[in-house]
Structure formats: C-alpha cells, structure tokens
Amino acid sequence: MDKFSVLEQVFGYRDFRPGQEQLIDGVLAGRDVFGVMPTGGGKSMCYQIPAMLLPGITLVVSPLISLMRDQVMALKAAGVPAAYINSTLNTAQMRLVYRNLLAGMYKIVYVAPERLDYPGFGGVAEKLNISFLAVDEAHCISQWGQDFRPSYLRIVNFVESLPRRPVVGAFTATATRQVREDIERILKLREPVTALTGFDRPNLYFDVLKPELKDQTLSRLLSERRGKTGIIYCSTRKKVETVCENLLAQGYAATRYHAGLDEQERSANQEDFQFDRKTIMVATNAFGMGIDKSNVSFVIHYNMPKSMEAYYQEAGRAGRDGAEADCILLYSAGDVNTARFLINNSSDNEELDEKQQEQVRQQDLKRLEAMVGYCKTNTCLRGYILEYFGQKHPEICGNCGNCKGEYEEVDITREAQIILSCTKRIHQKLGYWVGINLLGNVLRGSKNKQVKELGLEDISTYGLLKDRTRSDIHAMAEHLEAEGYLQSELEHQTLQLTPAAGNVLYQDERVVMKREVQAEKPVPAAHSMTPAAADLFDVLKARRFEIARDAGMPAYMVFSNATLSEMAMQKPRTMTDFKRISGVGTLKSAWYGETFLACIREYLDEHPE
Ligand code: ADP
Ligand code: MG
Ligand code: ZN
C-alpha cells in the first residue's frame, strides 16, 4: 500500500488537497509536521493516512469527545481499526481498549489531552510502538487562541516520557502568527515540514444581511432552503431558545444546543442533528468544535460573533464535503453591544495575571472591531476574510453578497437630520434618552398614550416622518448607529447622540444608505443539476437514509452529499463506473455499491430519457 492507494481505496478520493501530500510525505519520512489549513481543508487525512502506512500505532490528541467518537465511527465505517480513549468509556470498555491496544489491534487511537497525564495511560503507552503523535486543534495550546486548553501544555511532557520520541505533528486552522509560533515552540517541533495552505473556501458563498426583522428574514432564508441541513448560531442561550421555538412552531425539524442544557440533552440533540433526524441546529458557539458533519449546506449567524476567527471557524462548518454552501450573517447594531458586553464581562482565565487579562481584553476588542468591519464593508466579503488572515486575493470573487448583489444608494441626509434632531429634542425635553420605539412613534406622529403623556406632541420634529413605515425608520436609525451617529446603551436600550451627529445636524454631512435592489441568489448544488438528476439525487438520498438508519450511523458517513450528487449526475451502471465516483472507496463500493447501482438502474428503467 502507498498513500495513493489508501486515499483511493479507504477514502475513495482521487486527488490530494493542497498541503496533504506534503505533510503525509513528511511524516512518512520521519519528519515532524505542522499543518495550518482551513476548517474543512482535510487535516484529518494528514494523520489518518500515515497511520495506515506506518508500523505501530498513531496517537491523535483531540480536544473534544464528540469529535473523537465521530472520527472513529467514520474510520470504522471505512474499515480502519480505530478506537478512542476518554471519560465516556466505562471500566469494562476501557479495559478492552487497553487490551486490544497492547495486542496491536489498532492503527489509530484518539485520546483526550487530559488522558496523557494519567499514570495508567502512561504505563500502557510505554509498552506501545507509537510511531506518530498527531496533535489536532493544536491552537488549544496557545493562550492567545480562543480555545486555550491548559492540558495541551503538558503534551510535550508526555512525548518526553516515552522511551522513543515519535514523529510529532500539529494541525490547526488558526493562522495568526502568534498562535503559530506558540504551537511550534511549546510542542518543541523539530524543524517541521510546514504546510500553510490557502484559506479560501471557494464553495462557500458569503453574505451579510441587515434585516429590519431578523425572524422574518430567517424564515425567508429557511423556506428557500427546505430539506437542507444547516446550523443557526445565536450569541446567547436565550436567543437559541426563542429562535428554536419559533422554528419548531413553523414546522421545521429544529433542535438546540447550548451550555445551559444538561449533558444528556446536549448529546441527544447533537446526535439528532448528526443523524439527520433534525435538519436544523440552533446553537450558541458551544456547539461545533467537535462537529465534522460534512453535509451542512448553510450556516446562518443570527448574531454577529466576537471575532473573524470565530466567524470563519463557525461559518466554515458549512460545505465541508466541497458542495456549494451558504454562510449568511444577520447583522444588527445591537450585536456589537452584546459582543462588547460579552468581552468586558467574560470570566477571567485563572492562569493569567491581571496585566495579561487586560491584554487579552484589548485584543478581543480589536478582533471585534475587525468583525464589525466585515459586516459593514461594501467590498468583496471573501476578500475581506482572506485579507484578515493575511492572504492575497483578487478584488472580486464573484461568489459573495457584495460581488453579486445589486445595490442602489439612497441619500437619506434629510431623514437623518430629522431623526437625530428628534433624538436631541426629546432628550432636551425629558432629560433622558429614549429607545427606538418611542422615537419612532414621535417621528410618525403617533397619538399613543405615552407620547401624549410625555408631551412629545409639541416638539418640532413630531410627525415629520409620518409618511414612512415603522420598519423604515428603524432601519435608518440602525444605519445611523452603524455609521456612528447614534449609540445605543445596552442596559436601558436607549439611543443617544454621538459627537459625530453634529456633522450631519449642522454641517450637512451626507448620509447614504445602501439598499439591495434584488440580490441574485446563489445557485445551490442540488439545483445546478438537471431536474432529472435532482430527482435521482432525492431517490439516492432516501436509500442512503435507510442504510444509515439500519446501520445506526449518520447518513453522511455512508456517502457525502457531494458523492451522491456526482452519482446522480454520472448515473453509473457498472461497478467500474461506480468506483470512479469521488468518495467511493473499495470497502464502501463493496458494501453499498450493489444497492446504489440497483437504485440507479431502477430509476433509469422507470425514466427512459
Ligand atoms: P479539517 O481540516 O477541518 O479537519 P477534515 O479532515 O474534517 O477537515 O475534512 C473535511 C472533509 O473533507 C471530510 O469530509 C473529508 O472526507 C474531506 N476530504 C479530505 N481530504 C479530501 C480529498 N483529498 N479529496 C476529497 N475530500 C477530502
Ligand atoms: Mg479537523
Ligand atoms: Zn466577493
């Protein structure tokens, strides 16, 4: 066996992705390696393939239990002898794994970082022939990263405690220089073969929407994507609850995930999503590090995350199978306040002293600023992302909201002056700032009780925007906030003027708002097929669902959507043709080939062209 035959026979792929070959060759030649590749770039293959080719076993250090379970399940589904060791195993299971391990029955074993410290594990490890130690999600070693895990710091002690130092590999999607340096230094990598591949994910479509009513927009986005699988990220647990309830009420197969749920419900919900019993996952950022579900076809952010790193990692969970997928962020100015609030009130990391804490906070605020910049930019969104990660890029990508959308510019200077002046007058009259609802009522000349009782009918801007809708006024106020003329105060939900408002009020500074004319929607993968192929695709999906259900594993582990759609388009009639489909390996063709071929033949008989 060589790396190509493993790639083809075990995983069913024909070509390596950027960086993979270089890293695999490095490991096979006995060199340390360092892979920095985007989420979905195919890092796992860089340790799984060497694991199959090296003598002895490969240990993979991985931070999340669900991720281990998943990868091991997928490996077993492809016929690779694999196991994991973590706290979810009971004593009997643990004993069995250790016994098999010592008997040399596994090629690849996943362990949680804490496990390396256990004397029991160390004792077993000494007796093993460990050829390769792969550290996945290696950024967890850095205090500058988002997911610092102190137990990662001790990996190197484990390596040094072994009778023979194995090849060490580190893998991460975090590309900032500081984190990269930390990884190399703390893990003591020895002149590693390094692959830093491009961060572009061409199959992802990016868009930022600024809806007046997020729930309405979300409903529209979802109705355009019925039957597809997706994740909706919200910034708070409460929001997760309300959004999920709304979707259930609308008849969507939605489920939820956040740190406030007990462990049992969390894993049940995650599994429902994993197994396609529920197609929509509504979650906080607590969900995902361990997810490598490959058929996620959209990731919608109901709220803006705290950083570009977080955004790209979360959005990057879409389209890992290489099929077209959408990453849509629903921005509102309020999100900035929430994010700032979360940063300022995040619990302290006990391992840092006060000065370091403050440094981290400042850095978080800088990251937030860049994130807001993404939401506001009129230039190519993909370009903005790549720029942030320090990668060159063309000016226009042609596959993001800003490259595709058609906008018209509307001059709202007059309206802006009215809104700002009204804000100011109300403050003068009442002695305090008020929220957008009352402000809108005054501008629209409402006769409601509150307006009357506060005597706001008398102020000069009362009713000056009575020809505008409520949502129109809200949108303009949000725009003024986004542009820095208004500022909202989190605690009382009030809007106040900033010094910059003076430029509009007294110096005629122009205010221009972009309005989407009619954005062209991206063509999703399933729709770029001919209607007949799309039809067959559905038939194949149904078949896949049955197989997965009977085998008790997630559907995408049978075949990914990308593989099924290629099947639907190529319509293979023989096993030889079937094996040519990307994602069909030797084992899988043996296990599932006949049944899918039968499906295709039957379909073609019933639908002669
Ligand atoms: P990450 O870099 O985020 O860890 P994964 O290793 O989970 O990415 O891989 C993401 C997806 O890409 C998986 O579904 C995997 O099967 C697929 N993949 C990896 N390498 C290749 C390849 N050479 N050709 C086609 N698909 C690949
Ligand atoms: Mg990974
Ligand atoms: Zn673009």
Side-chain angles (χ1 to χ4, degrees):
M1 288 261 263
D2 60 11
K3 61 182 180 201
F4 293 106
S5 47
V6 176
L7 180 71
E8 198 163 331
Q9 290 175 24
V10 177
F11 298 102
Y13 299 127
R14 264 180 306 254
D15 306 300
F16 282 107
R17 291 211 182 132
Q20 287 180 329
E21 219 178 334
Q22 193 189 351
L23 294 170
I24 292 169
D25 287 345
V27 177
L28 294 178
R31 300 271 310 270
D32 281 0
V33 297
F34 189 10
V36 184
M37 295 151 100
T39 309
K43 290 184 284 297
S44 330
M45 211 72 97
C46 303
Y47 50 78
Q48 289 168 346
I49 291 184
M52 311 268 311
L53 296 171
L54 290 168
I57 74 160
T58 291
L59 279 189
V60 182
V61 180
S62 164
L64 273 187
I65 286 170
S66 51
L67 177 129
M68 294 186 202
R69 198 190 46 197
D70 254 42
Q71 293 214 347
V72 168
M73 207 179 344
L75 284 168
K76 284 183 170 167
V80 180
Y84 58 81
I85 299 175
N86 62 35
S87 54
T88 65
L89 300 181
N90 62 33
T91 321
Q93 291 169 320
M94 192 76 83
R95 207 173 294 137
L96 181 67
V97 172
Y98 278 145
R99 200 168 58 218
N100 291 343
L101 193 56
L102 288 165
M105 284 172 63
Y106 302 124
K107 287 310 291 177
I108 182 163
V109 174
Y110 288 72
V111 291
E114 302 79 30
R115 184 66 46 178
L116 302 177
D117 286 343
Y118 288 29
F121 183 79
V124 172
E126 265 172 29
K127 301 194 189 95
L128 299 173
N129 176 16
I130 302 173
S131 304
F132 180 27
L133 182 106
V135 181
D136 205 6
E137 313 289 352
H139 57 277
C140 292
I141 212 168
S142 169
Q143 296 179 350
W144 305 110
Q146 319 236 333
D147 313 300
F148 175 51
R149 300 267 295 224
S151 55
Y152 263 62
L153 294 172
R154 294 190 292 275
I155 293 176
V156 72
N157 302 349
F158 171 76
V159 172
E160 286 168 354
S161 78
L162 293 170
R164 188 176 57 88
R165 182 185 187 274
V167 169
V168 179
F171 302 89
T172 179
T174 302
T176 57
R177 198 161 44 86
Q178 185 142 38
V179 172
R180 268 182 359 231
E181 284 170 4
D182 276 0
I183 293 173
E184 271 203 64
R185 181 172 51 80
I186 302 172
L187 272 181
K188 299 193 182 159
L189 297 181
R190 298 181 181 169
E191 297 174 24
V193 174
T194 300
L196 217 168
T197 65
F199 269 65
D200 191 13
R201 300 272 310 275
N203 62 318
L204 299 185
Y205 169 85
F206 290 95
D207 205 356
V208 177
L209 304 178
K210 295 168 186 158
E212 287 152 22
L213 300 166
K214 285 190 179 182
D215 289 316
Q216 227 169 56
T217 303
L218 182 63
S219 295
R220 174 176 65 80
L221 292 172
L222 293 180
S223 70
E224 291 165 0
R225 291 169 176 75
R226 268 196 197 276
K228 297 193 163 192
T229 297
I231 305 173
I232 299 167
Y233 278 109
C234 304
S235 57
T236 62
R237 297 173 188 185
K238 223 165 110 194
K239 204 73 231 178
V240 169
E241 297 291 335
T242 53
V243 170
C244 187
E245 255 164 52
N246 277 342
L247 297 185
L248 288 171
Q250 291 171 48
Y252 286 101
T255 185
R256 58 189 182 158
Y257 191 104
H258 59 68
L261 302 173
D262 64 52
E263 168 62 29
Q264 216 172 352
E265 178 176 357
R266 264 184 319 200
S267 59
N269 293 353
Q270 173 167 336
E271 205 162 276
D272 280 344
F273 180 64
Q274 199 86 328
F275 282 67
D276 292 330
R277 291 190 290 259
K278 298 282 168 66
T279 53
I280 298 175
M281 172 56 89
V282 188
T284 60
N285 60 3
F287 176 75
M289 241 259 266
I291 301 306
D292 60 2
K293 189 171 166 64
S294 70
N295 66 339
V296 174
S297 75
F298 61 87
V299 171
I300 296 175
H301 278 77
Y302 191 96
N303 301 108
M304 179 190 74
K306 285 184 293 184
S307 68
M308 290 298 292
E309 284 92 342
Y311 181 65
Y312 203 47
Q313 188 175 52
E314 288 159 16
R317 297 193 173 114
R320 293 175 79 144
D321 55 5
E324 305 275 324
D326 302 332
C327 307
I328 300 168
L329 194 161
L330 308 183
Y331 170 83
S332 73
D335 292 341
V336 185
N337 291 323
T338 311
R340 198 177 291 134
F341 179 85
L342 290 175
I343 290 173
N344 286 329
N345 294 279
S346 70
S347 56
D348 292 345
N349 185 330
E350 283 160 18
E351 307 200 10
L352 304 181
D353 64 32
E354 220 163 277
K355 199 169 139 233
Q356 287 171 319
Q357 301 290 1
E358 179 55 22
Q359 252 170 12
V360 169
R361 212 178 61 82
Q362 288 307 327
Q363 230 170 11
D364 285 348
L365 289 171
K366 252 204 218 117
R367 288 202 183 111
L368 174 61
E369 211 171 290
M371 183 71 245
V372 175
Y374 175 80
C375 297
K376 288 188 179 172
T377 186
N378 298 323
T379 62
C380 174
L381 292 170
R382 186 184 313 279
Y384 188 97
I385 294 170
L386 295 177
E387 186 82 33
Y388 182 80
F389 290 113
Q391 190 179 324
K392 283 208 180 72
H393 56 87
E395 205 172 320
I396 290 171
C397 78
N399 191 27
C400 79
N402 287 353
C403 287
K404 273 194 167 164
E406 269 181 55
Y407 291 89
E408 58 179 0
E409 294 207 327
V410 196
D411 188 317
I412 59 157
T413 309
R414 193 187 83 91
E415 288 86 346
Q417 287 170 340
I418 293 172
I419 293 170
L420 296 175
S421 137
C422 187
T423 310
K424 186 176 158 164
R425 290 291 150 79
I426 295 177
H427 181 253
Q428 276 170 351
K429 173 128 194 162
L430 302 177
Y432 53 85
W433 301 104
V434 302
I436 179 67
N437 287 324
L438 182 54
L439 180 66
N441 284 338
V442 174
L443 287 164
R444 293 176 64 235
S446 155
K447 302 238 180 299
N448 101 359
K449 210 164 122 224
Q450 191 188 22
V451 174
K452 279 190 184 160
E453 277 174 10
L454 295 172
L456 297 174
E457 287 163 307
D458 310 337
I459 68 172
S460 57
T461 42
Y462 177 80
L464 277 189
L465 294 180
K466 62 172 173 294
D467 54 336
R468 310 300 291 263
T469 66
R470 183 186 304 271
S471 61
D472 242 6
I473 294 175
H474 284 217
M476 288 190 286
E478 279 215 336
H479 182 69
L480 292 176
E481 196 186 335
E483 295 295 304
Y485 301 121
L486 286 175
Q487 193 179 1
S488 61
E489 197 252 334
L490 198 60
E491 207 177 320
H492 303 97
Q493 299 289 330
T494 56
L495 282 173
Q496 54 196 61
L497 294 186
T498 67
N503 304 343
V504 177
L505 281 171
Y506 315 116
Q507 289 168 39
D508 264 339
E509 187 166 281
R510 261 186 88 213
V511 183
V512 176
M513 202 167 144
K514 282 200 165 182
R515 202 173 285 164
E516 203 167 340
V517 178
Q518 186 57 62
E520 208 180 301
K521 283 291 146 219
V523 188
H527 294 181
S528 54
M529 295 184 222
T530 60
D535 203 22
L536 175 56
F537 179 66
D538 287 337
V539 174
L540 297 173
K541 253 167 91 172
R543 188 69 260 254
R544 177 181 67 176
F545 181 80
E546 289 165 9
I547 296 176
R549 193 194 44 205
D550 294 346
M553 61 182 181
Y556 67 90
M557 283 186 192
V558 176
F559 284 127
S560 71
N561 277 358
T563 300
L564 283 197
S565 77
E566 196 180 320
M567 243 180 252
M569 288 188 284
Q570 302 293 335
K571 303 185 183 58
R573 283 171 175 276
T574 64
M575 193 53 97
T576 318
D577 290 342
F578 189 76
K579 284 187 182 160
R580 292 217 177 94
I581 306 284
S582 172
V584 178
T586 308
L587 255 178
K588 285 191 181 178
S589 63
W591 285 345
Y592 312 125
E594 276 314 324
T595 165
F596 280 97
L597 279 170
C599 235
I600 294 167
R601 274 186 226 119
E602 198 175 311
Y603 181 87
L604 291 177
D605 289 346
E606 282 168 20
H607 305 82
E609 245 93 350

